[in-house]
Amino acid sequence: MLKNYLKIALRNIWKNKVFSAINIVGLAVSMAACIVIMLFVFYERSFDGMHSKNIYRLDEVQKFEGMVAPQKVALSMFPMGPTLQEEFPEVRQFVRINTGAKLPMKYQDRTIDLSQVFLTDSNFFQLFDFVLLEGERERVLKEPNSIVLTQKAARNIFGNADPIGKYINHYGSDTVTLKVTGIAQDAPANSHLQFEALVSFSTIAKPDFMKNWGGNWLVTYLELAPGTDIAKTEKKFPAFLKKHMEEGRWKFYGLFLQPLDEVHAQSVDITHDYVNYQKFDRRYTYVFSIIAAIVLIIACVNFMNLSTARSTGRAKEVGIRKSIGAQRFQLAGQFIGESVLLALFALMLAVAIVKLVMPLVADFSQRWLEFSIFQNPGLLLPVLLGTVLVGLFSGLYPAAFLSAFEPVKVLKGTVRAGKSSFRNALVIAQFTSAVFLIIATGFAVKQLRYMVNKDPGFDREQVVIMPLNTESNTKYEALKQELLTSSFIEAVTASQQRLGNNLHQTGVAFQGAGARRELTSSQVVVDPDYLSLYKIKLIAGRNFTHNAGDNAKAYIINESLAKELLKDEPTLTMETLIGKRFGFSGMDSLSTIVGVSEDFNFNSLHHKIETLCMFNQKDWSYSEMSVRIKGKNARQALATIQSAWNKFVPGQPFTYSFLDEHFNEMYRADSQVSEIVGILAGLAIFISCLGLFGLASYSAERRIKEIGVRKVMGASVAGIVALLSRDFLKLVLVAFLIATPIAWWAVRSWLNDFAYRIDIEWWMFLLAGALAVLVALFTISFQSIKAALMNPVKSLRAE
C-alpha cells in the first residue's frame, strides 16, 4: 500500500509540474533561509561555551557627576579580584586581563606586531579551558617575564623552530625580555577572548597596585561556586565598595556580574569593552529566527492555497476511493504523506542551495559558518524533524479539506473548489508579512546610511592612521616634519586614542567662581595640531599652540562639558570659561581652559555625545599618528609615508588603516542586520509572488471560457487583464493597510535604541506599499496577459 501511495504521489507531482515546482522551489528557498539562520544563531549561541567552570565577568556601573547618564563599563580595579576572593566565600578564583593592541616583538633580526597581547594572572589556564599544547597549565605564567604564544604567533616569530625556552623582546626605550614558556592552540573563533600572546601580570605588577582603588584599566573574571545566588552576591557589592574605597568615592560606582556565555551577545550597552571585539546583540538572533520562520510559513501557505484551489482536480479520485470503501483517515494520511514527500524533495534542493551560498554567507557575516550534516550530526535531527513538521503543517489543512468530500456530490460533479475567503486570508497574511519586512528594511537601510553619512563634527575622510609605540614616539616629531614637506600631505597629528573608540574616562576638577567641583569626563591626549587636522571647530577661546606653556597646562573642552560646568555657575558663559582653572582630580594646582570646541561624535551614534576634555602632554606619548592626505593622491601619499617611516623607524613594520574604514567597521553589526533583514524580505516577496503566480494561473485556467465569451463580446486585452488582476490587488492593498501600523510600531521601537536617528516619514510606507503592488501586478499580469491574448475560438470550441 505504501508503494502504491508513493506511486500516486509521484504521478501527481509529475502531472502538475508547474504547481509542484512552485511548491518545491518556495519550500526549498525558505528552508535554505531557515538553515542558514539556524547556523548563524547556533554559532552566536555557542560563544564561550568551551569553558566548563561557572565563570562571570565583573562589570562596573559608573555614575559620576557630569555624565549624561550612568554607564556600564567592562572595567574593574586591580585589587577587586583578590579582595573578592578573600572576603566572598562563593568566589573560588579570579583572573584579571589587560589588553594591548599591536604590541611589537623582536626575535633576532625579525620584528613582528602581535595584534592582541593580554597581561594576565598565572591561573589563566586554570580558570579558562583554552587548549595548552606545550607547557604546564599551573606554571606557564607563574614567573615574571613569561609569555605564552598561540600557534599562529609562534609560527610567525620562530617559523618551524621549537620556541619553548627562547627569548623575545618587546622593544622600545623600555625593552622587556620575555621567555616563551608555553604554546596555546589558537583561540576558537567563537570565543570573545581573542589573543595571540599571554604575558604574566607579575612582569609589571607592583605591591602598591593593591592600593589602587579607583583605577579602572583591566577586566576581572570570577569563578563562582555552583548554585551561587547572583542577586544575593550583588547586594553585598555596595558595602564592599564602601569598605575599600575613599570616603564619598564609592557612591560613584556599582558592580554587577555577567555570565560568561552572555558577554558576547548581551554587552551592547556596555562600553569600554576592550576585550570583546565581536559583540552582537542577541535580540537580533531572535528577530532573524522569527523572520525566517515567517518566510517558511509563507511557503507553507502557498502549498495550502494551491492545494485547496486545485481541489476539484482530485475530487473524482476521492469520490471513487470513498465509494469503494476508503476511510477518511486513509485519504488524509495519503495527502499528508504527499506533502511530506514534497517537503523532502524541497529539503534536497535546499541543501544544494545552502552549499552553494555558504561561502558567500560566511564572507558576508565574517563568521566561520559551515554546513555539514555528516561532520555535525547534531544538525541532522532538527533539519529532518523540521522538514517533516513543514510537510505536516503544509498538508494538514488540504488533507482535511480533500478527504471531507462526499462521494455522491463528487460523482455528480457538484463539488466546487474550496472557499476563496480562506485562501484570500492566507494571501493577505503572506503579503502583510512581506510588506512589513519591506518597510523594516527600508528604515534599517536609511538609518544605517544616516549613521555612516551624518556629519560627526569632524572630518574623517582621507585620514591615514598608524600605530605608535615607545620607539616610534621618540621619532614622532622628526617623522612629522619630514611628512609635512611633501606636497601629498596636508597635515599630521597624533593622539593617545582613536576617534570612534570608547575614550578613557577620568576624574576632573573645575574651579570657577564658586566652590571647586569634582566630576568625570572622557579625555584624550592630543598633539597641538589635532583640532586643525580633524577640522574640529571652536566656539570660544583658542586652539593649542606649540609653545612650551601649553604643554600639560592647557585644556580644550567640548560644548557638553562646558554646559555641565556652567550649571552651577550662573555668572559664567562659554566665553568667560576661558582662563578658568581646570585639571585632573587630585591635583592641587589646576591648569587652564584655553578653548571650547563644538560637540562632535567621538563615539558611535548609538550613544549621545559625552563630556570630553583634550590636552597636550608630550611626555605621556601617543598611541596613534594621523596623517591627512591632500586631494586624491592616496597611492603617492602612502608611498611617501612609508618611505619616511622606514627612514626614521627602520626596525618596525609599516602598518596603517584609514579612519573612515574604522567607522564603517563600527557599524558592521548594524549593516549586517539591515542586509539580512533585506535578504529575508526579498525572499518573502519572492515566495509570496510564487504563490500569487500559481493562484493567478489557476484563476485564468478556471475562467478560460468566461474570458473567451468576453473577448467575443468585444472586451479588450486591458479590460481582461484588469478583471483578472483586480481581486488579487485588493488583497495586497488590504495587506498593506494591516502591515503599516505594525511596521510603524516596530520601527519606532527599534529606532529608540539610537541616540541619533532618522524621522519616521510617511512616504516610506507608501513607497513600500507601491513596491508590493507593482511586484504583485507584474506577477499576476504575466498570466493575465497570456490568458487575454488566447484565441477565444480555442477556449469555446468545446461549447
Side-chain angles (χ1 to χ4, degrees):
M1 184 177 290
L2 289 175
K3 183 179 180 181
N4 186 47
Y5 283 171
L6 182 61
K7 282 184 178 179
I8 293 172
L10 292 173
R11 284 172 184 168
N12 277 310
I13 290 172
W14 184 252
K15 180 181 178 182
N16 302 292
K17 299 181 186 70
V18 173
F19 294 95
S20 297
I22 289 172
N23 283 327
I24 290 173
V25 170
L27 285 173
V29 170
S30 60
M31 284 180 179
C34 284
I35 290 171
V36 171
I37 293 298
M38 181 180 68
L39 291 172
F40 184 90
V41 172
F42 281 3
Y43 178 83
E44 288 296 314
R45 289 182 172 274
S46 72
F47 260 77
D48 299 308
M50 68 286 299
H51 305 297
S52 59
K53 295 181 177 62
N54 188 31
I55 304 173
Y56 285 76
R57 186 172 74 174
L58 183 68
D59 295 326
E60 289 182 3
V61 178
Q62 298 178 347
K63 39 199 173 183
F64 304 112
E65 184 183 358
M67 282 187 167
V68 175
Q71 66 173 0
K72 297 178 181 178
V73 297
L75 297 172
S76 51
M77 304 171 196
F78 190 88
M80 283 183 173
T83 310
L84 284 169
Q85 185 181 22
E86 183 180 332
E87 298 181 5
F88 285 54
E90 60 267 40
V91 177
R92 290 187 168 182
Q93 60 176 321
F94 67 90
V95 163
R96 297 162 298 191
I97 292 174
N98 176 256
T99 179
K102 292 215 172 177
L103 197 63
M105 295 289 177
K106 192 168 187 177
Y107 174 67
Q108 296 177 349
D109 60 344
R110 299 190 64 200
T111 300
I112 304 293
D113 273 341
L114 298 183
S115 60
Q116 281 297 322
V117 179
F118 291 175
L119 279 165
T120 189
D121 287 299
S122 59
N123 60 324
F124 180 88
F125 286 103
Q126 293 166 266
L127 179 64
F128 298 108
D129 294 333
F130 292 110
V131 177
L132 187 66
L133 301 173
E134 296 185 52
E136 299 177 31
R137 301 186 77 87
E138 298 82 7
R139 298 185 58 82
V140 285
L141 293 169
K142 192 169 185 179
E143 301 297 327
N145 297 81
S146 299
I147 184 169
V148 175
L149 299 172
T150 61
Q151 286 176 296
K152 178 183 175 182
R155 281 194 303 269
N156 288 341
I157 297 173
F158 298 101
N160 295 324
D162 182 9
I164 298 297
K166 290 186 170 62
Y167 292 88
I168 58 178
N169 296 321
H170 163 44
Y171 63 87
S173 59
D174 54 346
T175 300
V176 178
T177 300
L178 302 168
K179 181 182 179 181
V180 180
T181 56
I183 301 297
Q185 194 174 82
D186 294 340
N190 59 341
S191 168
H192 85 276
L193 294 173
Q194 295 292 319
F195 57 90
E196 287 195 305
L198 305 169
V199 177
S200 54
F201 235 136
S202 55
T203 304
I204 66 158
K206 297 179 176 60
D208 61 351
F209 281 14
M210 285 301 294
K211 301 176 184 177
N212 187 12
W213 289 90
N216 296 282
W217 53 280
L218 45 76
V219 188
T220 302
Y221 296 88
L222 306 173
E223 181 193 357
L224 302 183
T228 297
D229 187 331
I230 301 303
K232 187 176 178 181
T233 299
E234 290 179 334
K235 285 180 181 178
K236 297 189 288 185
F237 285 152
F240 170 77
L241 293 171
K242 185 176 181 180
K243 176 181 176 181
H244 294 286
M245 297 191 71
E246 294 178 11
E247 183 65 30
R249 291 287 294 170
W250 68 274
K251 295 180 181 178
F252 298 138
Y253 294 91
L255 295 175
F256 67 98
L257 295 168
Q258 187 178 20
L260 185 68
D261 60 1
E262 294 182 3
V263 168
H264 166 72
Q266 294 192 347
S267 297
V268 175
D269 61 337
I270 297 177
T271 63
H272 298 79
D273 202 347
Y274 302 117
V275 173
N276 185 18
Y277 292 103
Q278 305 181 73
K279 64 173 67 175
F280 189 85
D281 192 341
R282 178 170 288 176
R283 292 175 298 176
Y284 286 135
T285 62
Y286 300 136
V287 171
F288 297 159
S289 300
I290 292 169
I291 295 175
I294 289 172
V295 172
L296 185 59
I297 290 170
I298 288 173
C300 294
V301 166
N302 277 353
F303 184 91
M304 294 181 191
N305 265 340
L306 295 177
S307 297
T308 54
R310 297 186 62 78
S311 56
T312 52
R314 302 194 68 176
K316 287 184 180 179
E317 175 193 343
V318 173
I320 292 171
R321 291 186 64 186
K322 276 195 169 185
S323 66
I324 60 176
Q327 299 297 313
R328 182 176 180 181
F329 75 90
Q330 291 175 314
L331 293 169
Q334 177 194 338
F335 294 137
I336 289 174
E338 289 179 11
S339 68
V340 171
L341 181 64
L342 207 68
L344 290 171
F345 285 147
L347 174 63
M348 289 187 280
L349 180 57
V351 169
I353 293 172
V354 171
K355 284 285 189 182
L356 187 65
V357 304
M358 198 46 99
L360 298 175
V361 172
D363 182 62
F364 154 72
S365 66
Q366 297 187 347
R367 285 161 173 79
W368 189 78
L369 301 177
E370 186 178 17
F371 179 64
S372 176
I373 291 177
F374 300 105
Q375 292 181 10
N376 191 355
L379 286 174
L380 183 60
L381 182 61
V383 168
L384 286 177
L385 184 62
T387 302
V388 172
L389 289 175
V390 165
L392 289 173
F393 178 74
S394 303
L396 201 58
Y397 175 73
F401 179 79
L402 290 169
S403 63
F405 285 160
E406 297 178 21
V408 174
K409 290 183 179 180
V410 168
L411 297 177
K412 283 184 177 181
T414 58
V415 167
R416 295 288 181 267
K419 291 182 179 179
S420 62
S421 57
F422 182 73
R423 288 199 302 275
N424 290 346
L426 293 179
V427 171
I428 289 171
Q430 282 182 313
F431 272 90
T432 297
S433 303
V435 171
F436 169 84
L437 291 175
I438 292 172
I439 294 170
T441 301
F443 278 102
V445 171
K446 192 176 180 188
Q447 173 66 18
L448 178 66
R449 287 181 179 171
Y450 171 78
M451 291 192 298
V452 172
N453 298 325
K454 181 183 182 296
D455 180 10
F458 64 92
D459 189 351
R460 64 191 182 207
E461 300 298 325
Q462 297 290 92
V463 177
V464 179
I465 302 293
M466 294 171 292
L468 298 175
N469 56 36
T470 307
E471 182 179 353
S472 51
N473 259 283
T474 62
K475 305 294 178 63
Y476 166 69
E477 287 296 338
L479 181 57
K480 176 179 178 179
Q481 295 308 316
E482 176 81 9
L483 290 173
L484 289 174
T485 62
S486 170
S487 59
F488 302 121
I489 305 300
E490 183 177 320
V492 180
T493 192
S495 62
Q496 269 196 353
Q497 299 170 80
R498 181 184 302 186
L499 292 172
N501 290 342
N502 293 307
L503 300 184
H504 294 158
Q505 296 273 330
T506 189
V508 295
F510 171 66
Q511 181 68 67
R516 174 168 166 151
R517 289 177 61 193
E518 302 279 337
L519 59 161
T520 293
S521 173
S522 297
Q523 58 88 10
V524 60
V525 178
V526 300
D527 170 85
D529 295 317
Y530 189 80
L531 275 72
S532 300
L533 183 140
Y534 283 108
K535 302 180 181 177
I536 298 169
K537 297 177 182 177
L538 290 171
I539 57 177
R542 63 172 176 83
N543 202 345
F544 293 116
T545 69
H546 289 271
N547 298 332
D550 268 8
N551 187 40
K553 296 178 181 178
Y555 286 82
I556 293 177
I557 62 175
N558 72 346
E559 191 175 355
S560 291
L561 180 52
K563 289 177 180 177
E564 183 64 34
L565 298 180
L566 291 173
K567 280 184 179 179
D568 298 328
E569 300 284 352
T571 61
L572 296 180
T573 64
M574 291 283 184
E575 290 73 19
T576 56
L577 271 176
I578 307 305
K580 293 296 181 285
R581 311 307 291 173
F582 182 88
F584 292 117
S585 295
M587 294 174 61
D588 294 328
S589 177
L590 299 179
S591 300
T592 305
I593 297 174
V594 299
V596 178
S597 75
E598 287 186 354
D599 276 341
F600 58 95
N601 290 97
F602 52 86
N603 279 330
S604 159
L605 291 183
H606 283 276
H607 309 292
K608 290 184 177 180
I609 296 174
E610 296 281 353
T611 57
L612 173 69
C613 64
M614 296 169 279
F615 63 102
N616 174 234
Q617 187 143 353
K618 295 179 180 178
D619 55 341
W620 283 17
S621 72
Y622 307 116
S623 65
E624 288 189 329
M625 181 176 181
S626 304
V627 180
R628 178 174 296 283
I629 295 173
K630 187 179 293 183
K632 301 295 182 181
N633 304 303
R635 183 176 298 177
Q636 299 95 323
L638 287 173
T640 300
I641 297 169
Q642 183 171 11
S643 175
W645 182 273
N646 293 336
K647 175 181 176 181
F648 289 97
V649 202
Q652 295 186 32
F654 173 67
T655 57
Y656 70 93
S657 61
F658 282 91
L659 184 61
D660 55 352
E661 293 174 353
H662 170 67
F663 274 83
N664 290 338
E665 182 66 18
M666 276 175 52
Y667 300 120
R668 180 167 60 88
D670 298 296
S671 176
Q672 288 174 344
V673 168
S674 66
E675 290 182 25
I676 290 173
V677 172
I679 291 169
L680 293 175
L683 293 179
I685 279 287
F686 170 71
I687 295 168
S688 297
C689 288
L690 278 179
L692 204 58
F693 178 83
L695 289 176
S697 299
Y698 170 72
S699 177
E701 180 183 320
R702 187 169 59 86
R703 301 175 72 176
I704 191 71
K705 287 187 172 64
E706 176 192 345
I707 293 170
V709 171
R710 287 178 178 274
K711 289 196 73 174
V712 168
M713 299 298 292
S716 65
V717 171
I720 292 172
V721 170
L723 173 72
L724 295 174
S725 304
R726 185 170 55 228
D727 291 338
F728 291 114
L729 291 180
K730 285 179 183 177
L731 301 180
V732 177
L733 289 172
V734 171
F736 167 70
L737 294 176
I738 296 172
T740 296
I742 300 172
W744 177 85
W745 173 82
V747 168
R748 188 185 65 167
S749 301
W750 177 69
L751 286 175
N752 284 337
D753 287 339
F754 298 87
Y756 301 92
R757 51 187 175 266
I758 58 174
D759 295 324
I760 300 178
E761 297 174 305
W762 61 268
W763 64 266
M764 293 278 290
F765 295 92
L766 290 183
L767 182 63
L771 179 62
V773 169
L774 287 174
V775 171
L777 183 61
F778 176 79
T779 304
I780 299 164
S781 296
F782 181 80
Q783 283 298 328
S784 301
I785 293 171
K786 180 181 176 183
L789 293 175
M790 185 174 290
N791 188 345
V793 174
K794 291 183 179 180
S795 59
L796 297 174
R797 187 168 46 194
E799 301 297 323

